[in-house]
Amino acid sequence: MLFSRVRGTQDWLDLRLYNFLVEQAGKHLQRYNFSQIQTPILEQTNLFVRSLGQETDVVTKEMYVFETSSGESICLRPEATAGTMRAFLENHIEKKPWKVWCYGPMFRHERPQKGRWRQFEQINIEVINDDSIQQDAYFIKMLDAFFKDKLFLENYVIKLNFLGCPDDRNNHKKSLKAYLDTVADTICDTCRVRKEKNILRVFDCKNESCQEVYRDAPKLTDYLCVDCGVEWAQLQALLQVLSVSVVLDPSLVRGLDYYNKTVFEFSSRDLGAQDAFCGGGRYDLSEQLGAKKEHPSIGAAMGVGRLLMLVSSVQDRLPVPHEPAVHVLIPMGDDQQPLALLLADVMQTNGLCVDVLLEGGSMKSMMRKANKMGASHVLIIGEAEQRDGTVSVKNMITGDSVVLKQGEVVSYVRKGS
Ligand code: HAM
């Protein structure tokens, strides 16, 4: 029996577009003065329990948790924000703000479906230790510029909401609870539990009938204190100045508990049910992770798999690098193989892409194989060529053949590629 992939994982067999995307993101972020970092895939389980929230889906049912032989509970990271904040605190970073991004796999044991995997890659971006609301607008503008100007995406919206400060949420919670008590018999069992345990999470419910009920629920933005109210107005005004169009969405609360104030999501109908390809917001996480004071921050993560689904339809407009021309060397017998390998080595040292057919066979079958490989030139070394210090070169595009001195091959092939 052949092995199959673990459910919810993917094999990437052509990474050209994928690498292009990550590279473009890196270049874009560099222009905004972000540095790339890398944190471990393995982290302590408690890092996420403390930061994402005990009643969130990610923590209650989606983490891949292991106990080590020494009894320590570790897990495969479900997201990168908590690890980045841990790295900031543990390494006593003093830069203010600390603008960093990282890229890599995340793991969540969710039900796999189109656009939702158990292992998926994120490009995760954080501005740590900066509490200005202007930073939020600038950050959202930066993301929008990437999707619009660098990836030519058009069919998406930016959903925006403001979660206020903890006091605002407490005030809102009371009204929300009173409202939900009156409609308790019309919402699903999960929402009834969430209503008691972590009330804002009811808005994450995917159930259309529940969402219908929540359309009339009290809005958090109606419960903002004076300071938060001013920031919320400033954020919207600044986004307008920066020509970023947003859709205000009072039910956008995001699935993780660390958010305060600004939250946003980039979503596209072209993706189907899993329509968010980037999400984030402002958060306070450092005291929860043991620091003496808060370091207000803002960040976001893009789902690379979902972004690829969107980008593949505009691929022709993107400067994705082509594969280099491949030149195929054919040694006609065992005796010519060392010479073929030496010539290949010289060509590769000179920056050419070369492959050598070492399995032997008839001239006809090897030519057919070289053709299938998309060879730009075929270089044949038989007994005569070995004796004379030459190579027979066929240009597979024009069909021209020449016999060259071995020392002339590199410049000839370069000219014809
Ligand atoms: P998130 O919304 O959980 O936020 O994930 C961000 C993005 O990752 C989503 O919009 C989606 O594109 C992608 N994603 C999430 N789960 C999956 C999955 N199972 N399969 C495929 N793609 C997925 C965070 O992770 C926050 N840490 C973002 C953040 C950074 N907030 C502040 N800083």
Side-chain angles (χ1 to χ4, degrees), residues 133 136-137 140 160 162 231-239 262:
I133 193 72
D136 298 20
I140 295 171
L160 183 71
F162 204 77
E231 287 196 337
W232 177 219
Q234 279 179 321
L235 174 66
Q236 292 173 76
L238 196 48
L239 285 170
T262 309

Side-chain angles (χ1 to χ4, degrees), residues 52 58 62 78-82 106-108 110 113 115-122 124-126 139 254-256 258-259 264-266 271 274-283 297-307:
L52 309 190
V58 176
E62 294 170 5
E79 59 101 62
T81 307
M106 312 293 151
F107 302 83
R108 297 182 193 175
E110 296 186 87
Q113 62 178 91
R116 186 160 74 189
W117 300 278
R118 289 179 173 172
Q119 176 176 335
F120 58 97
E121 279 70 35
Q122 279 186 347
N124 185 77
I125 311 152
E126 310 289 351
F139 192 83
R254 310 265 306 128
L256 312 165
Y258 49 58
Y259 292 110
F264 56 85
E265 241 166 49
F266 288 69
L271 289 170
Q274 300 303 316
D275 60 355
F277 57 94
C278 176
R282 179 159 282 290
Y283 59 92
S297 305
I298 182 164
M302 306 174 195
V304 178
R306 291 187 197 170
L307 208 46

Side-chain angles (χ1 to χ4, degrees), residues 173-190:
K173 238 181 235 172
K174 287 179 202 145
S175 307
L176 183 61
K177 175 79 169 48
Y179 171 78
L180 291 181
D181 283 342
T182 64
V183 294
D185 49 348
T186 59
I187 58 177
C188 71
D189 290 348
T190 314

